[in-house]
Amino acid sequence: MQTGFSRIGFILAAAGSAVGLGNIWKFPYVTGENGGGAFVIIYLLAIAFIGLSIFIAESYIGKESRANAASGYQVISKSQSKHWRWAGFQIFAGILILSFYAFIIGWIIDYIIISISGLPTTIKEAETTFTNLITNEIGTQIFFHTLVVATMIFIALKGVKNGIERLNLILMPLLAIILFGLLIYATTLDSFSQAMSFMFSPDWSKLTVDSLLAAVGQAFFTLSLGMGIIITYSASMDKKANFIKSSVFVAIVDTAVALIAGIIIFSFLFAAGAKSVAGPGLVFISLPLIFSGWGIFGQVIAIAFFCALLFAGITSAVSLLEPSVRYLIEKFQMTRVKATFAASGFLYVLGILALLSMSADYGSMLTFFGKNLFDWMDYTTSSIALPVSGFVTCIFLGYFVDKNVLKTKFTSHTSVVIFNLWYALIRYIVPVAIALLFLNKLGVL
Ligand code: PHE
């Protein structure tokens, strides 16, 4: 019985992982905060040179080792040293991220319901709706968190082919249809051209060093790198598939979705005369308010928009669970059922603690050294674990794997020139870029 991905299944699942809240929520507001067009150009370069190189690297490790994201490193290293298994810390980082990614998807479900029952009509109401959800509505949040985790368990239990591949086969086309519909609508608005020029005509004076680093960080997050996801998915890909081509394809799809989401959201924002910089509250505060101004039709747009976010989020969440499941199965000979429940049980409880740490009633109990648990989890993963694991992957392939083996494997799919370019990037340029990003996030630079 075939249990791995089909070729198209792999591409859809990897794209499903990559296209997530990062594209539809984070990319537009980070672009807004960094002045638009110039940032977009830097971001495209970061994707093409840094993100794509690591994506290809992770895909190679998975495809060649056909193992989980911890032993995969050991299997293909020159020395076969057991120490490389420590690279598997990224699997743990993934589970931490998933514990809060899950309840954020829960907020989205809540907003689908709000879109149906009635959107906030004033800025004050829009703000209280959101803050109230986070600080006071513990029961609602736990309910949706449970629903999201249960859905992930359901998919994971069905396995790679019948669970993950099938889910993506359904949700990705739906996501594409909704985004396409929203884009068409955006083109009919007067603000469309303003949005296009905001996104595509660069004003270099707005660019700072921080913007460069934000672009690299976003490239990393949006391609789902540094969490063992691409390694794990690639370990189930068709052995003969061209992993370079599929990587390029996924990067293109992911970038296209980010750009389209940006065009849609800025058209909506500018139509309402809103400022381009709206920060993280953009999706949950500014947009609902704009939609409510459009009456019944706005509700329909709101439902479509939040469904797109939901679909994008679910396919990413499912991808975050699989590295742990595969690891537990291979390392402890667990059954898929046991592994799925063990990983999900852990992240479920942790997610509840994280959401409680933002609540009015329990926040102070779950705040340590001035940061609540949620902020700590976000900080230790996105600012520390992700860049460190990207760095480790580059150093690993650049210095601890036989170059000739890499060259032979790569050149059966691509030219020597492309291989040399990738090798130089992974050996010298990308590690330096990541180190800069890392030091900046830690506040050293
Ligand atoms: N790549 C996803 C996005 O852009 C985010 C993600 C992060 C997915 C971590 C999986 C793991 O939203």
Side-chain angles (χ1 to χ4, degrees):
M1 194 182 77
Q2 165 107 12
T3 53
F5 287 117
S6 68
R7 280 189 199 192
I8 178 74
F10 170 79
I11 290 179
L12 275 183
S17 172
V19 174
L21 305 184
N23 302 60
I24 305 179
W25 172 32
K26 204 163 168 205
F27 174 75
Y29 87 73
V30 176
T31 302
E33 284 173 345
N34 287 285
F39 178 80
V40 171
I41 293 178
I42 299 295
Y43 171 77
L44 294 179
L45 293 174
I47 290 277
F49 290 100
I50 298 179
L52 184 56
S53 314
I54 304 183
F55 196 104
I56 292 175
E58 288 199 10
S59 193
Y60 175 82
I61 296 173
K63 184 176 177 244
E64 286 308 313
S65 69
R66 311 213 70 81
N68 64 72
S71 38
Y73 287 78
Q74 186 194 340
V75 174
I76 65 165
S77 67
K78 268 194 275 198
S79 64
Q80 304 274 305
S81 161
K82 277 199 170 162
H83 294 312
W84 282 113
R85 289 193 187 165
W86 288 103
F89 72 90
Q90 53 186 313
I91 301 174
F92 188 66
I95 276 294
L96 291 190
I97 294 185
L98 183 52
S99 65
F100 60 81
Y101 208 79
F103 67 72
I104 295 180
I105 296 178
W107 298 347
I108 295 169
I109 303 179
D110 194 50
Y111 268 80
I112 294 181
I113 296 172
I114 293 177
S115 307
I116 297 169
S117 60
L119 290 158
T121 48
T122 61
I123 179 72
K124 183 125 192 49
E125 204 189 328
E127 278 168 1
T128 16
T129 306
F130 186 55
T131 21
N132 207 20
L133 172 67
I134 293 176
T135 49
N136 296 323
E137 295 178 21
I138 297 174
T140 314
Q141 286 192 84
I142 294 184
F143 175 74
F144 289 127
H145 180 61
T146 311
L147 196 67
V148 172
V149 174
T151 308
M152 288 181 334
I153 294 177
F154 177 76
I155 303 292
L157 286 180
K158 289 184 172 295
V160 168
K161 177 106 190 138
N162 293 326
I164 301 176
E165 176 165 325
R166 245 200 226 166
L167 175 85
N168 281 284
L169 231 47
I170 300 169
L171 292 189
M172 290 306 281
L174 282 180
L175 173 63
I177 292 171
I178 297 179
L179 284 178
F180 190 66
L182 290 172
L183 180 64
I184 300 269
Y185 177 63
T187 59
T188 66
L189 299 172
D190 290 341
S191 52
F192 178 73
S193 56
Q194 198 188 343
M196 288 299 276
S197 77
F198 178 72
M199 287 214 19
F200 298 110
S201 51
D203 173 0
W204 296 104
S205 67
K206 297 249 175 68
L207 216 60
T208 61
V209 176
D210 278 352
S211 325
L212 301 183
L213 296 162
V216 176
Q218 174 65 9
F220 222 88
F221 185 80
T222 192
L223 290 176
S224 300
L225 301 171
M227 283 155 283
I229 295 173
I230 305 307
I231 299 180
T232 307
Y233 272 11
S234 299
S236 294
M237 91 195 278
D238 181 344
K239 279 201 186 99
K240 288 195 252 29
N242 184 336
F243 69 99
I244 299 175
K245 244 195 206 164
S246 54
S247 302
V248 173
F249 189 77
V250 172
I252 291 177
V253 170
D254 184 74
T255 307
V257 172
L259 294 178
I260 289 172
I263 297 171
I264 293 171
I265 287 178
F266 287 119
S267 301
F268 290 176
L269 277 179
F270 293 149
K275 283 192 290 149
S276 59
V277 185
L282 180 106
V283 159
F284 294 109
I285 298 171
S286 316
L287 283 182
L289 187 62
I290 293 171
F291 294 146
S292 79
W294 295 342
I296 281 280
F297 184 67
Q299 275 180 288
V300 176
I301 297 278
I303 295 166
F305 177 78
F306 285 110
C307 281
L309 263 185
L310 175 67
F311 297 161
I314 289 281
T315 51
S316 296
V318 163
S319 78
L320 264 172
L321 182 59
E322 190 60 16
S324 309
V325 171
R326 185 164 183 138
Y327 175 74
L328 294 174
I329 292 175
E330 289 177 2
K331 169 93 185 172
F332 301 104
Q333 280 86 44
M334 285 188 187
T335 58
R336 183 166 264 277
V337 177
K338 248 194 196 161
T340 304
F341 277 102
S344 315
F346 178 74
L347 78 90
Y348 177 68
V349 174
L350 200 61
I352 292 182
L353 291 175
L355 73 84
L356 288 178
S357 81
M358 287 186 286
S359 69
D361 289 348
Y362 303 94
S364 57
M365 270 182 250
L366 291 160
T367 296
F368 316 96
F369 303 105
K371 257 194 219 302
N372 65 34
L373 183 66
F374 172 76
D375 289 337
W376 273 116
M377 284 161 53
D378 181 27
Y379 177 74
T380 49
T381 51
S382 42
S383 301
I384 301 178
L386 265 50
V388 169
S389 98
F391 187 79
V392 169
T393 300
C394 291
I395 299 300
F396 172 71
L397 285 174
Y399 300 88
F400 295 91
V401 174
D402 191 338
K403 182 177 177 186
N404 290 323
V405 175
L406 286 174
K407 192 168 180 175
T408 317
K409 301 279 182 191
F410 270 66
T411 47
S412 65
H413 295 301
T414 187
S415 66
V416 178
V417 177
I418 298 278
F419 169 73
N420 285 336
L421 174 65
W422 172 81
Y423 198 66
L425 280 165
I426 215 83
R427 203 170 143 93
Y428 308 111
I429 299 168
V430 181
V432 172
I434 296 177
L436 291 177
L437 170 73
F438 184 58
L439 294 175
N440 177 272
K441 284 230 178 170
L442 292 188
V444 182
L445 269 184

